[in-house]
Amino acid sequence: MAVAEAVRALLDGASVTVESAELTMREAVLRAPRPVQGRIPLTMGTANSTLLRWAGAHADVVGLTGFGRTLADGHQHEARWRADQIEAQLACVAAGAAGRTDPPALEALVQTVVVTDDAEAAAAEQARRNGMTVAELLATPFVLIGTVDEIITAIAAHEQRWGVTRFVVRVDALDPLAPVLARLP
């Protein structure tokens, strides 16, 4: 959290001195280039409950990663994509944002994008690996799988249910999503 707090202070133009286990900085200042707007927006992507609360209080955008424990390979993570897990993450953000005039925007880190006429078949293996039903997987904001119309419907459902208005995708998902993007407002 020391790093997140230091970044926020640096972006706000403050001189920052920190001595902690995570970070040491002495009179650090972000001098140039200075932003043309009054405040540089901060996006904090995490699944950690403490950081989600901090992000709810301080970030402009909170990125939901859906990550859980790091798996034995040291790289992959357990997926926290079930409705109750997403609601728990959102409750942390809301607790941090309590009292804010403008709560942060919410975004989801999309792990899988497949434009297909058979969403169930495309989602089946990933659902099995994550210990979810296909319906549970397709209802999460961390995958966009289906026809163009189904993905557009899912995006609207994620906004209505979770408040997620932004989606982060990998560069290789941009071409398949082009027809979706062309139809979004």
Side-chain angles (χ1 to χ4, degrees), residues 159-172:
E159 181 173 3
Q160 183 177 11
R161 182 172 185 183
W162 313 113
V164 174
T165 58
R166 299 169 179 227
F167 296 84
V168 176
V169 298
R170 290 176 173 80
V171 70
D172 62 349

Side-chain angles (χ1 to χ4, degrees), residues 72-124:
D73 69 3
H75 177 69
Q76 295 186 18
H77 295 82
E78 159 189 280
R80 291 187 181 160
W81 295 357
R82 286 199 165 75
D84 63 326
Q85 294 167 320
I86 296 168
E87 288 167 3
Q89 293 168 53
L90 292 173
C92 291
V93 174
R100 277 184 68 169
T101 307
D102 297 316
L106 297 173
E107 70 182 21
L109 178 59
V110 178
Q111 298 298 311
T112 303
V113 173
V114 180
V115 178
T116 178
D117 290 334
D118 192 351
E120 289 77 17

Side-chain angles (χ1 to χ4, degrees), residues 42-106:
L42 174 66
T43 298
M44 172 68 80
T46 186
N48 176 285
S49 58
T50 300
L51 288 176
L52 284 168
R53 281 189 292 279
W54 186 92
H58 302 284
D60 301 287
V61 179
V62 177
L64 303 173
T65 65
F67 295 158
R69 265 181 304 138
T70 304
L71 299 178
D73 69 3
H75 177 69
Q76 295 186 18
H77 295 82
E78 159 189 280
R80 291 187 181 160
W81 295 357
R82 286 199 165 75
D84 63 326
Q85 294 167 320
I86 296 168
E87 288 167 3
Q89 293 168 53
L90 292 173
C92 291
V93 174
R100 277 184 68 169
T101 307
D102 297 316
L106 297 173

Side-chain angles (χ1 to χ4, degrees), residues 8-16 28-30 34:
R8 175 74 274 162
L10 286 168
L11 292 175
D12 287 342
S15 173
V16 179
V29 178
L30 182 61
R34 290 304 305 154

Side-chain angles (χ1 to χ4, degrees), residues 134-145:
V134 169
E136 286 175 319
L137 182 80
L138 293 175
T140 184
F142 304 109
V143 301
L144 297 174
I145 300 174

